[in-house]
Amino acid sequence: MKISIFTFLALLICSSIYTQDYDFGDISRAELQEKFYTIDSSVAAAILYKKEEVNFFFTKAEGFVQEREIHERVKIYNKEGFDWATKKIYLYKGDGGNVEKVSGIKAYTYNLVDGKIEKDKLGKEGEFEEDYNEFTKINSFTMPNINEGSVIEYRYKIISPFIRIDDVVFQHDIPIKKLDVKIVTPEYYIYNKRMNLRAKYQPKVNVSSKNNTIPFDYKTNIISISENNIPGLKSEAFSGNMSNYRSKMSLELTAILNANKIITKEFTTNWEKVSKTIYDNESFGRQLKEFNFYKEELNGLVSLLSDKENDLEKVFLVEDFVKSKVKWNGNFGKYAQKGVRSAFKDGEGNVADINLLVISMLKSLGLNAVPVLISTRDNGIPLFPSLNGFNYVICSVQIGEKSFYIDATEQYSSNNVLPQRTLNWQGRLVNDDGTSSWVDIRPTSISEQSSMLNIKINDDLSVSGNLNEKHTSYLALNYRKKYALMSNEDKIKNIESGKGGLEVNNLNIENIEDIRNPIKVSYEYELPDGLDQIGDKIYFSPLLFLTEEENPFKLEERQYPIDFIYPFKDTYLVNIMLPNGYSVESLPKSEALEFNYGAAKFLYLLKENGKYLQLRLELEIKSTLIQPEDYKTFKDFFSKSVEKQLEQIVLTKA
């Protein structure tokens, strides 16, 4: 087999890195000279080495204390990799003043300057602390003197009073050349290891044990991983939270043994027990029984409702009332941060403060309202039942046979139109007695956008006309979040952006604050360059500036599902007035496409009707989750729909 000199040198450099020792500070010239990652030249950075060790050491005062040591070396190839020069360390704060602490941060940036290796030490000015939420704080640091080609290296320890072990992550968004992981636990703590089976990459895990004599005789259980060339977790279009597919291991604490190896406490649990534990917490279940502080004000509002108005009207009233009284402080949480009483008084609270208040108010009006625990999309799908598996709570209210879901933290959401951060497949509904069950919170109703476009081709071959749109459900929510706080001038600029010389006039938007009704948009437009003229012929796409010009699904194969989050339907009705002196030479053929027995549909109907051309185009996605095995078929379906939109009408002088 023949190889080029270039390939040989790349392999030689790569080999020298693999065979070196990764002692802290032992940075090689080859690492600094490396211009790209040899296995995947597209990456902006790579982790040259990652070492993570978890140990428990014994003290007379505290017993076993967890120590987690991290050592990482990162190569930055270009400016897109500069984000990797900032490291965030999440530290848990428990009850009774128990907190995790970071210690021994040591970090350097290395650069090759005039053939010499120079290093810059991380100073105190590069270290920061912030409160992430009531249970977590973040210690972060940003490395100095970052350049293209820099190598950064840092190490630190996390000292934890908790037995719980954080997930061990094997895969990041950038590749890892060398990974060493070692988890050493005393025999008195029994952990069940769980791998993320959704991940495509699975490392080899070695399990062993060792006898210890300090400070007394006991056995330790050891989990170790040593891997090379771990691929980065590359994002794919419409994949949802990629962390759901990240290679990682969770360690579930199942039991604690005493000195005689007898179980003193079992932690083996299920979601029913987890939900009951959360409900019994004073910052959860008790908050649902707080009524008196708002009762007079709420009853005054309810008294304005007529006898004919039903329970659904009460739901709208309570949701609007809470949104007007209590603003979200940006913090997630399944437990109330301030408590519903203080949040109502102060006008601010976290997710649980707000949504538990909604439930309390609906209960006070005699409605069947209960909490639903959720793991948000960013939090991912937990690998086993645990209290940390949920980080959010919304409201469910049952009216007749129908359930309505409410999240009053989002100003423009409404019943059964939740913020997308909550739409992580399912939630855990918790009844008043603490019993619980899974409920599907994925949207089932179609979110629709319908557009009516009128086109007039002027004598100078510019185009003018008007557009009317309607947006419902999640498409209306997205529109409100994008445009509600913009000035009219900024709205027009945003609509015109990226659409050639489009000029928008007389923009009118209805119901942008009225979340109970669809968004309605209308405007007049002028487009000087919407047509192409060659000789005595005119060429143009009938959707003009509304054309979908690019297929977002470019990969030949996918490893992960396509997640559209909610079903949707786009409908376009286009009326084109033929210009005087021109006739139709050719029209794109009408066509109907279907994917997977109606999971997705595309319709293109174009016809000539007197002096007009009329187009009806529909794209409907009913199935929100497209599996990797169906990707090629779906990609072909979507490509044809995009290609169809790009087909041109040809007019010729009569």
Side-chain angles (χ1 to χ4, degrees):
M1 179 180 70
K2 295 182 179 180
I3 61 173
S4 68
I5 294 296
F6 177 81
T7 304
F8 175 76
L9 290 174
L11 291 172
L12 185 63
I13 292 172
C14 186
S15 174
S16 68
I17 293 174
Y18 287 144
T19 56
Q20 74 179 77
D21 292 327
Y22 286 96
D23 294 334
F24 188 86
D26 188 16
I27 306 298
S28 71
R29 189 177 300 272
E31 289 171 319
L32 287 165
Q33 289 175 331
E34 192 175 75
K35 299 298 183 183
F36 58 89
Y37 185 57
T38 53
I39 298 176
D40 182 357
S41 61
S42 68
V43 301
I47 299 172
L48 302 180
Y49 181 60
K50 179 178 179 180
K51 178 182 179 182
E52 186 165 356
E53 289 193 0
V54 176
N55 286 282
F56 286 81
F57 62 89
F58 186 84
T59 68
K60 289 183 179 180
E62 301 177 83
F64 284 106
V65 177
Q66 182 186 160
E67 179 183 88
R68 192 182 194 115
E69 184 173 2
I70 306 292
H71 172 198
E72 288 191 21
R73 184 181 298 176
V74 181
K75 171 72 177 184
I76 296 173
Y77 296 107
N78 54 50
K79 291 180 180 179
E80 285 70 34
F82 281 11
D83 287 347
W84 287 91
T86 296
K87 178 69 176 180
K88 290 188 175 184
I89 307 168
Y90 291 81
L91 303 171
Y92 183 69
K93 300 184 292 183
D95 297 329
N98 291 322
V99 296
E100 293 180 330
K101 297 179 181 178
V102 64
S103 69
I105 296 177
K106 192 174 182 180
Y108 294 92
T109 300
Y110 297 86
N111 289 291
L112 197 61
V113 180
D114 297 329
K116 296 181 179 180
I117 298 176
E118 295 187 356
K119 67 178 183 179
D120 294 271
K121 184 178 181 180
L122 172 69
K124 289 295 182 183
E125 69 279 2
E127 298 183 37
F128 311 93
E129 291 186 9
E130 62 178 299
D131 287 326
Y132 180 65
N133 57 38
E134 62 266 42
F135 300 110
T136 309
K137 73 172 184 177
I138 299 175
N139 280 37
S140 60
F141 55 84
T142 298
M143 302 297 294
N145 195 20
I146 298 300
N147 299 284
E148 293 184 344
S150 294
V151 171
I152 62 174
E153 186 173 43
Y154 49 81
R155 69 182 181 193
Y156 58 87
K157 293 181 181 179
I158 298 174
I159 309 300
S160 174
F162 308 110
I163 303 173
R164 175 184 63 85
I165 299 175
D166 288 341
D167 290 353
V168 180
V169 177
F170 305 128
Q171 189 178 34
H172 293 279
D173 296 345
I174 57 176
I176 303 175
K177 284 190 174 181
K178 176 66 175 173
L179 172 70
D180 287 322
V181 173
K182 191 175 183 181
I183 302 166
V184 183
T185 57
E187 62 181 328
Y188 310 107
Y189 302 150
I190 308 301
Y191 296 91
N192 182 16
K193 67 178 185 298
R194 294 177 182 260
M195 308 298 289
N196 183 11
L197 299 180
R198 296 182 184 87
K200 296 296 181 182
Y201 170 78
Q202 298 290 345
K204 181 181 178 181
V205 179
N206 300 298
V207 178
S208 61
S209 62
K210 180 181 178 181
N211 292 320
N212 290 269
T213 58
I214 300 175
F216 48 84
D217 293 338
Y218 69 99
K219 186 178 77 172
T220 56
N221 297 309
I222 303 169
I223 297 173
S224 60
I225 295 102
S226 184
E227 295 277 306
N228 294 319
N229 296 330
I230 300 173
L233 185 67
K234 289 191 175 183
S235 180
E236 297 178 350
F238 296 95
S239 290
N241 180 15
M242 289 300 295
S243 290
N244 285 332
Y245 311 106
R246 193 179 304 280
S247 181
K248 63 181 179 179
M249 178 174 64
S250 294
L251 291 164
E252 176 189 11
L253 180 65
T254 60
I256 296 178
L257 310 182
N258 62 16
N260 297 317
K261 314 300 189 299
I262 297 173
I263 294 176
T264 60
K265 191 171 184 180
E266 286 190 273
F267 295 91
T268 303
T269 189
N270 53 42
W271 287 116
E272 183 77 22
K273 292 180 181 178
V274 168
S275 304
K276 183 69 165 62
T277 300
I278 294 171
Y279 185 86
D280 290 341
N281 190 292
E282 286 193 355
S283 295
F284 193 91
R286 183 178 174 182
Q287 305 301 312
L288 304 178
K289 301 170 185 176
E290 297 270 359
F291 301 131
N292 293 331
F293 64 93
Y294 59 71
K295 204 157 190 178
E296 183 177 345
E297 194 170 349
L298 180 61
N299 287 342
L301 290 172
V302 174
S303 66
L304 299 177
L305 296 176
S306 68
D307 294 337
K308 294 180 180 179
E309 289 175 304
N310 56 27
D311 287 343
L312 189 55
E313 293 298 323
K314 294 178 182 178
V315 172
F316 281 120
L317 183 147
V318 167
E319 183 180 2
D320 291 344
F321 180 47
V322 172
K323 285 180 179 179
S324 68
K325 292 287 291 187
V326 188
K327 301 303 178 185
W328 182 37
N329 62 13
N331 290 338
F332 289 6
K334 56 184 174 286
Y335 297 123
Q337 185 175 2
K338 292 185 171 185
V340 295
R341 183 185 294 270
S342 295
F344 185 80
K345 178 183 176 182
D346 298 342
E348 183 185 75
N350 75 345
V351 163
D353 288 320
I354 292 171
N355 287 329
L356 294 179
L357 177 60
V358 170
I359 298 167
S360 170
M361 287 185 176
L362 292 174
K363 282 180 173 295
S364 74
L365 297 178
L367 296 178
N368 181 16
V370 293
V372 177
L373 294 163
I374 283 174
S375 175
T376 60
R377 294 176 70 83
D378 286 343
N379 197 51
I381 299 170
L383 300 185
F384 61 88
S386 71
L387 292 174
N388 297 316
F390 297 119
N391 67 328
Y392 206 97
V393 61
I394 62 172
C395 166
S396 171
V397 57
Q398 188 81 19
I399 299 178
E401 298 297 318
K402 190 171 183 180
S403 293
F404 294 89
Y405 298 115
I406 301 168
D407 184 352
T409 66
E410 176 58 65
Q411 184 66 28
Y412 300 111
S413 68
S414 58
N415 296 334
N416 287 344
V417 181
L418 299 169
Q420 290 188 26
R421 58 180 173 265
T422 68
L423 300 179
N424 203 16
W425 299 353
Q426 59 183 0
R428 190 82 184 180
L429 185 146
V430 188
N431 298 306
D432 291 340
D433 59 359
T435 60
S436 61
S437 59
W438 290 111
V439 290
D440 191 345
I441 59 171
R442 290 176 297 180
T444 55
S445 61
I446 299 286
S447 296
E448 295 191 55
Q449 173 183 309
S450 56
S451 304
M452 179 173 286
L453 178 67
N454 291 312
I455 298 173
K456 179 184 177 183
I457 301 175
N458 302 311
D459 292 340
D460 61 358
L461 298 186
S462 65
V463 177
S464 60
N466 58 71
L467 176 71
N468 291 278
E469 292 179 339
K470 185 170 76 171
H471 306 258
T472 71
S473 195
Y474 280 94
L475 294 174
L477 170 61
N478 296 341
Y479 196 96
R480 289 185 173 100
K481 290 182 69 174
K482 182 176 181 178
Y483 288 108
L485 300 180
M486 282 188 188
S487 67
N488 201 60
E489 182 180 352
D490 286 340
K491 290 172 186 169
I492 289 174
K493 286 181 179 178
N494 199 278
I495 293 170
E496 293 174 341
S497 177
K499 296 182 176 67
L502 180 70
E503 295 180 10
V504 170
N505 298 293
N506 298 323
L507 174 65
N508 182 55
I509 303 176
E510 298 179 29
N511 303 326
I512 199 160
E513 296 288 346
D514 183 2
I515 63 174
R516 297 175 65 173
N517 287 301
I519 291 276
K520 293 182 179 180
V521 183
S522 64
Y523 57 81
E524 298 171 357
Y525 70 88
E526 294 181 3
L527 188 64
D529 55 357
L531 311 178
D532 292 321
Q533 184 179 24
I534 301 176
D536 60 353
K537 296 181 181 180
I538 298 174
Y539 301 81
F540 65 99
S541 167
L543 284 179
L544 296 179
F545 52 88
L546 299 179
T547 303
E548 180 79 44
E549 295 185 349
E550 191 173 9
N551 183 1
F553 307 108
K554 302 180 185 301
L555 299 175
E556 289 301 316
E557 294 183 352
R558 277 182 73 109
Q559 298 186 49
Y560 313 107
I562 297 171
D563 184 2
F564 284 112
I565 306 177
Y566 52 83
F568 66 89
K569 181 178 182 180
D570 292 338
T571 301
Y572 298 91
L573 300 175
V574 183
N575 290 299
I576 305 167
M577 180 185 293
L578 294 173
N580 292 327
Y582 281 85
S583 61
V584 175
E585 180 174 296
S586 65
L587 297 177
K589 292 181 179 179
S590 296
E591 191 167 4
L593 306 173
E594 187 174 88
F595 163 76
N596 202 9
Y597 304 103
K601 295 180 179 180
F602 177 77
L603 177 67
Y604 186 101
L605 293 175
L606 179 60
K607 64 180 181 179
E608 186 176 359
N609 186 8
K611 62 182 296 186
Y612 290 94
L613 299 178
Q614 295 174 331
L615 169 67
R616 182 180 185 89
L617 185 149
E618 296 178 1
L619 174 64
E620 184 174 13
I621 306 292
K622 289 184 177 179
S623 177
T624 59
L625 209 62
I626 310 297
Q627 298 299 333
E629 56 266 27
D630 294 325
Y631 170 67
K632 288 186 176 180
T633 306
F634 182 80
K635 178 187 176 184
D636 181 62
F637 162 83
F638 208 91
S639 294
K640 288 178 179 177
S641 73
V642 173
E643 291 166 4
K644 198 67 187 176
Q645 293 180 53
L646 293 172
E647 289 184 10
Q648 294 192 320
I649 294 169
V650 181
L651 305 181
T652 187
K653 279 190 175 180

